[in-house]
């Protein structure tokens, strides 16, 4: 299939959507991103890369990073991980305290903020230096040694991070955080502040398209079964309270971030990342969702 | 692949789970079902049927029927359907009033009871005789002209149906029921009271495995896109508050019922139905979920 | 104290508030009430009546009737009543299903609709003819033999009563309704459709101001302790989700209705009823609340 | 009335209740309190003190302190206070995050923890040294210059205070905390850690029994209207999710703490404080509530 032609068509067709969403504005570093940025990259297990637009420009991956910390912790702990975090869709916004209270401090899934904070806590317990381990993982799987944290974003997140501080304190009151609260928040804000390009992201996500093995790192990241299972978690929980909508329209496992990125995979076939900073009121990239919907429609590729 | 051998292995391996769940007991007709019943049937688009155990014995399909009424209404209304029902996972038990109240009478998805009642209401508006139209659909797509309602089950459901009566009255107070309340409940209780065997169900579900066209009826039921989209809804919403768990363990779109049945599909490949009456505390068949998990593990077939 | 002069001052001072609320419009019979109606009546245990404005004109007492059915049932059952209904403020709107679901079908208190429906159910179980018994009670305690149901209001309530039908079905699903659902709704809609004037209401409420004994009926209605205790329930639960506000501003036990009436008592001293149809967004009479606030401020009489 | 005789009767009658509750155990300093401690003190505006048992022994007043910080802030800000805190009963447990989330960071009332934290924040903004100002207030109104913080309790509260830290961070995320989070928590934990005896508390509470003027301090603390209004807030919100129960059984405005104390007032007549460390599952003193119920029953004094 001529993916390049497909991406060009998509780029044309999404034009009318620019201006219909809103760039994240809770921190300056995100707010000043050019709303017209747009890129898509496709990576295949055999090394092919197809891209369009700003696919080579790094942006703040934000919550997409939760896929990678989850991968690292799941690879180490296996199924015992699920004692501390659920795997059901939340049905509500990504930072809801309500659910957490009803469920006694066990976050509904690893992609809501509370769940991701628990995963970060586990990562800290597991690794000598959690900061470095995340960067190492991303550099290795993307093949790009310059992947790094954006210090300004991390700092801004921290200064505005009262809600995440509320969550982590609440989790600690339920004994579901084992490390120091400030340390957990610091690592969390840092991994959300990683900058990667669409191409970096698509390459990193390839282990989900390749039965758990990263063709870039030339290394098994997850078992075959684990790779399928985390794909399922992305499918049911990866888009805040729009998981159903994304599955309905796009039909791929994936994860979005408020930086406007979405990373998705077609098991056995390819990984795809898209970036467009304007968000809908659910916090997902307007153009990004449309671009992926067009991609699966035009190519006929979806998991269904 | 030798599906028969796989089913035989599965039958062996699930034996220890019998006795660990609980047959639905809210109405006598369900309560007296033999808990040791067990059947699986696989149907492929080219007409192959593989089965084991009690795959030929009819049981109460209960909520699995919601897939078929949804199909009928979606085929007629298309995307406008979603003005009256959402398509997000509920994250809570299948008959929650809470969500309905917060969401002003728009049920979260068509598989929670409130959503299915709205779909039934639309069906009544659409069809001259909703009762007959459901039976006709099921007879045509299963190729079994003897598929019918179980009158005792329908009557018992009605006598115990205060919670569904609460839901439909609440929906009506939000103007999301257009027909007479008793009529809606009557049709709803009847379509949930249909009896079908695993073989019937697997054959009926084939349109999801065949891009929207039923090879049994030799008729297009849904467009290609609609078939994918309803598969996505089954994947994210088909198992009450265990949708994430089912996607994680099994990785297939499907729908369960409190009669102990589960119907699932592998797009492009096959449809599979399993029946075992003992339920876990989420209302899903214990043995049924395990059997499907084993099936995808052993065959390596899942959507991920 | 010259109550007449106080009432005249109040009438002057509330004038600017007319036009700031909204007459209940969910049924025609309430909607067409003149929004400028205004009356206050004070009754004392020794037989004095002081009134102003439209204090002699009957209006729909609506939820104020819940005080009287509660009185009848409490007098008969005593403390065992509280097994079926709580006595805590709800903190939410008067017809919330949410709380009921979390609390397994035990309504939070007897003044939210769900609680009043349970009380009505108990009344039906207790009385040969619940309709007549309520009228008899009100005629006896008000001394007005012409107190009656407004048939049009009762009928309209019924036709619009899907939400109450939802509640009663939900309660029945939790076994907290023992009689036929339609019968419960019918009696409930009727007692809410009683018409009484401010003078009638003030005279009826006198048993709360007279240690449980009605000076009009010359009969003990409640024990001394029961009278205090129901006064406490009115204080904490009598104004939907504005109970705190009413206690704060007015400082009296009382009960409001969406017909625009409020009945309140000063234990040991007097009963007072006010009527003004315009409601605030919590469903309480705007002018009525202000009039009572002015009354306690001007007279220095409150329970605190 | 012979209050001494009444207290002696009460002491007899509550004996069977010892052992039926549970001493607060979330911090060591509370956990090791002798569960058999029991004291009552009555203070009247004219200077009379009647007491029994351990009425002279200081205990941790905990949430009772919220009445005094509220008084200080209300005296200064008047009605504008209610822009930042509501005054409706919460209907749920004292540290619920749920309500706070639905209500966008405006705590339901000043006695749930979130509300008290906002009051503490206002106190810090108002006073040069919030610590000292609280102590000064309590020393002045109790007439006991040795009233002080228990440093161990304050420290332990802080070490276990993840839930309160969650609340204050959440409030800050809604801009409803203006001072430094650690400072707010520190002052809050300190004022909850004040030790006072029943006699101290009864004397301090006298301003509510004396139209806002403290006969001990010989100083107006609140206006007449403010005193009534805060009494109303105590009545509707003073006992966590047992406010209705306390009003029903006791019929007095008051406030409880998890140290086992309850302070209550009879407007115009007296103040009363009771201490018994064993709590019911709502966090209120079992024996304390019973003692106050017996007091109002035996004396016939209640506000109703």
């Amino acid at each position: 299939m001529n993916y390049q032609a497909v991406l060009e068509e998509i780029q044309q067709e999404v034009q009318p959507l620019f201006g219909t969403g809103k760039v994240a504005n809770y921190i300056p570093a995100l707010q000043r991103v050019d709303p017209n940025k747009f890129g898509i990259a496709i990576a295949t297990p055999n090394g092919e890369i197809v891209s369009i637009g700003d696919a080579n420009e790094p942006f703040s991956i934000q919550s997409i990073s939760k896929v990678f910390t989850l991968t690292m912790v799941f690879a180490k702990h296996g199924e015992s991980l699920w004692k501390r975090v659920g795997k059901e869709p939340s049905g509500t916004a990504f930072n809801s305290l309500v659910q957490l209270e009803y469920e006694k401090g066990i976050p509904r899934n690893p992609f809501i903020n509370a769940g991701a904070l628990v995963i970060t806590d586990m990562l800290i317990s597991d690794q000598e230096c959690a900061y470095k381990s995340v960067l190492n993982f991303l550099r290795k799987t993307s093949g790009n040694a310059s992947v790094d944290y954006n210090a300004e974003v991390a700092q801004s997140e921290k200064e505005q991070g009262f809600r995440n501080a509320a969550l982590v304190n609440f989790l600690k009151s339920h004994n579901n955080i084992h490390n120091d609260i400030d340390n957990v928040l610091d690592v969390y804000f840092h991994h959300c502040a990683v900058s990667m390009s669409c191409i970096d992201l698509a390459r990193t996500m390839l282990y989900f398209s390749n039965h758990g093995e990263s063709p870039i790192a030339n290394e098994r990241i997850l078992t075959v079964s684990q790779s399928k299972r985390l794909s399922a978690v992305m499918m049911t929980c990866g888009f805040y309270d729009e998981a159903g909508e994304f599955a309905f329209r796009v039909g791929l496992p994936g994860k979005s971030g408020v930086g406007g990125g979405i990373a998705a995979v077609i098991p056995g076939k390819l990984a795809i990342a898209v970036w467009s900073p304007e968000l809908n009121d659910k916090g997902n990239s307007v153009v990004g969702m449309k671009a992926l919907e067009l991609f699966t429609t035009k190519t006929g590729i979806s998991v269904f």
Side-chain angles (χ1 to χ4, degrees), chain A residues 135-175:
Chain A
L135 282 188
N136 287 345
F137 179 90
L138 295 173
R139 289 169 179 172
K140 176 178 68 178
T141 52
S142 69
N144 180 354
S146 69
V147 166
D148 211 340
Y149 302 115
N150 179 319
E152 182 199 347
V153 171
Q155 182 59 28
S156 293
E157 298 274 6
K158 199 169 181 175
E159 283 161 11
Q160 298 301 316
F162 300 114
R163 192 176 257 271
N164 283 308
L167 288 171
V168 79
N169 273 288
F170 188 77
L171 289 162
K172 183 100 179 175
S173 78
H174 282 283
N175 298 313

Side-chain angles (χ1 to χ4, degrees), chain A residues 248-295:
Chain A
F248 183 85
R249 283 172 47 192
V250 180
L252 297 180
K255 183 76 200 78
S256 64
V258 294
I262 304 177
V265 290
I266 298 170
K269 286 217 176 64
L270 56 80
I272 181 167
V274 55
W275 173 43
S276 168
E278 292 183 288
L279 308 178
N280 64 18
D281 58 4
K282 308 282 188 183
N284 295 311
S285 170
V286 176
V287 172
M289 283 185 73
K290 185 64 182 176
L292 289 170
E293 180 183 354
L294 289 170
F295 181 78

Side-chain angles (χ1 to χ4, degrees), chain A residues 180-245:
Chain A
D180 176 68
I181 278 175
D182 288 333
N183 193 9
V184 173
L185 285 170
D186 199 47
V187 173
Y188 177 80
F189 290 136
H190 272 85
H191 75 62
C192 288
V194 163
S195 290
M196 293 174 81
S197 69
C198 289
I199 290 174
D200 294 335
L201 271 175
R203 287 162 62 99
T204 288
M205 292 289 281
L206 274 176
Y207 61 89
F208 286 114
S209 316
N210 196 39
H211 317 295
E213 196 175 325
S214 168
I216 310 296
N218 201 16
E219 181 184 324
R220 176 154 297 283
I221 304 296
L222 294 169
T223 68
V224 176
S225 165
Q226 285 173 336
S227 174
K228 288 184 181 201
R229 290 181 162 203
L230 289 200
S231 295
V233 177
M234 286 192 281
M235 174 69 91
T236 53
C237 312
F239 291 82
Y240 310 130
D241 44 348
E242 236 183 1
E245 182 71 16

